[in-house]
């Protein structure tokens, strides 16, 4: 069964450093998403991406964040200058993107645990 | 706009039933249910649509109550594998547009003990 994959599974970085989190969405999916989950808390939407541009973003997704689809398979999230509060699990998701938004199932990858020291 | 889930936590013995509710103060068009086990990704369970039928998946089913702006997830004859945190996500989109983000509730922690 096709699945979303993410690398690395765990990333440790120093405050102020740049990190790039990588995702390979399901191959025929058109919509891609990044969510984050601070330990023990709810899942928070960061950004959605469609047709090579950002479709929607949350207030969390400020100028420190960027997303890119550098080739036909990868989808990346870059954090330019990490802060302590960026420590969280980051999930990538993808959906077919066909038809109504309400019926568009999002499938999640296993996540990347980001630890900022 | 965040949906409200209740209860916050449930502890069951294997074989018992549970109901988890997800309600919204704004108009609901669809509710997406996920289960997340500790340290893992959320796994999709089902989508409930406004005006849609009750859905089922094994012994887990859900309904959509338009009057109450609420969806309920029913877990019957619970198994140990049902343990985890259940999240509902709402889209409120009701369109074919580009706004497909899910807004998540805080989750309901379910523990099934032998």
């Amino acid at each position: 069964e096709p699945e979303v994959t993410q690398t690395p599974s765990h990333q440790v970085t120093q405050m102020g450093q740049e990190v790039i989190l990588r995702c390979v969405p399901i191959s025929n999916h058109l919509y891609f998403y990044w969510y984050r989950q601070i330990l023990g808390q709810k899942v928070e939407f960061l950004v959605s991406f469609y047709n090579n541009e950002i479709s929607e973003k949350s207030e969390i997704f400020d100028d420190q964040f960027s997303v890119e689809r550098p080739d036909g398979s990868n989808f990346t999230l870059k954090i330019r200058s990490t802060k302590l509060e960026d420590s969280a699990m980051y999930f990538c998701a993808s959906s077919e993107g066909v038809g109504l938004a309400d019926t568009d199932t999002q499938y999640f990858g296993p996540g990347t645990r980001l630890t900022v020291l | 706009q965040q949906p409200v889930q209740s209860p916050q936590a449930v502890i069951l013995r294997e074989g018992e039933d549970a109901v988890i509710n997800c309600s919204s103060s704004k108009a609901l068009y669809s509710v997406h249910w996920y289960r997340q086990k500790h340290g893992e990704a959320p796994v999709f369970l089902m989508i409930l649509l406004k005006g849609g039928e009750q859905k089922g998946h094994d012994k887990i089913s859900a309904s959509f109550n338009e009057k109450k702006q609420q969806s309920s997830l029913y877990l019957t004859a619970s198994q140990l594998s049902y343990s985890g945190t259940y999240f509902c996500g709402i889209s409120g989109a009701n369109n074919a547009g580009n706004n497909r983000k899910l807004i998540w509730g805080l989750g309901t922690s379910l523990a099934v003990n032998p």
Side-chain angles (χ1 to χ4, degrees), chain A residues 21-95:
Chain A
L21 310 183
R22 290 183 168 79
C23 167
V24 178
I26 294 172
S27 62
N28 63 336
H29 284 187
L30 301 178
Y31 266 90
F32 316 125
Y33 312 81
W34 284 102
Y35 291 87
R36 79 172 185 192
Q37 186 178 33
I38 294 169
L39 188 62
Q41 298 186 24
K42 68 174 181 177
V43 177
E44 298 176 293
F45 169 78
L46 293 177
V47 66
S48 60
F49 192 86
Y50 172 74
N51 201 25
N52 282 319
E53 59 183 27
I54 289 175
S55 172
E56 196 174 7
K57 61 183 181 179
S58 72
E59 58 277 5
I60 301 169
F61 194 88
D62 60 22
D63 292 342
Q64 293 299 313
F65 292 88
S66 63
V67 288
E68 197 178 26
R69 184 140 164 93
D71 53 45
S73 59
N74 289 285
F75 178 52
T76 62
L77 174 70
K78 183 194 290 187
I79 310 175
R80 287 191 186 82
S81 178
T82 50
K83 308 184 188 88
L84 295 176
E85 54 264 35
D86 292 330
S87 294
M89 182 74 94
Y90 287 79
F91 291 108
C92 174
S94 70
S95 66

Side-chain angles (χ1 to χ4, degrees), chain B residues 11-27:
Chain B
I11 299 174
L12 298 175
R13 287 200 178 278
E14 209 173 353
E16 291 182 337
D17 304 339
V19 180
I20 300 171
N21 296 309
C22 173
S23 60
S24 172
S25 57
K26 294 205 169 187

Side-chain angles (χ1 to χ4, degrees), chain B:
Chain B
Q1 197 177 353
Q2 174 185 296
V4 176
Q5 287 188 237
S6 62
Q8 286 185 329
V10 184
I11 299 174
L12 298 175
R13 287 200 178 278
E14 209 173 353
E16 291 182 337
D17 304 339
V19 180
I20 300 171
N21 296 309
C22 173
S23 60
S24 172
S25 57
K26 294 205 169 187
L28 271 182
Y29 297 100
S30 67
V31 178
H32 302 226
W33 286 100
Y34 287 78
R35 176 172 61 212
Q36 185 181 33
K37 293 188 181 282
H38 183 69
E40 298 180 12
V43 173
F44 171 73
L45 294 175
M46 63 190 78
I47 294 175
L48 275 298
L49 299 177
K50 177 181 173 180
E53 301 172 353
Q54 181 161 334
K55 285 206 164 195
H57 175 70
D58 198 10
K59 288 184 179 155
I60 299 175
S61 62
S63 63
F64 192 115
N65 187 319
E66 198 173 326
K67 270 190 181 178
K68 290 185 179 179
Q69 295 295 332
Q70 176 179 290
S71 176
S72 298
L73 188 71
Y74 307 95
L75 299 105
T76 57
S78 59
Q79 305 167 18
L80 296 177
S81 61
Y82 286 4
S83 293
T85 301
Y86 289 77
F87 290 98
C88 66
I90 61 175
S91 65
N94 196 36
N95 59 50
N98 291 339
N99 296 338
R100 298 184 179 228
K101 72 178 182 186
L102 289 178
I103 302 169
W104 296 66
L106 294 178
T108 294
S109 173
L110 177 74
V112 181
N113 297 319

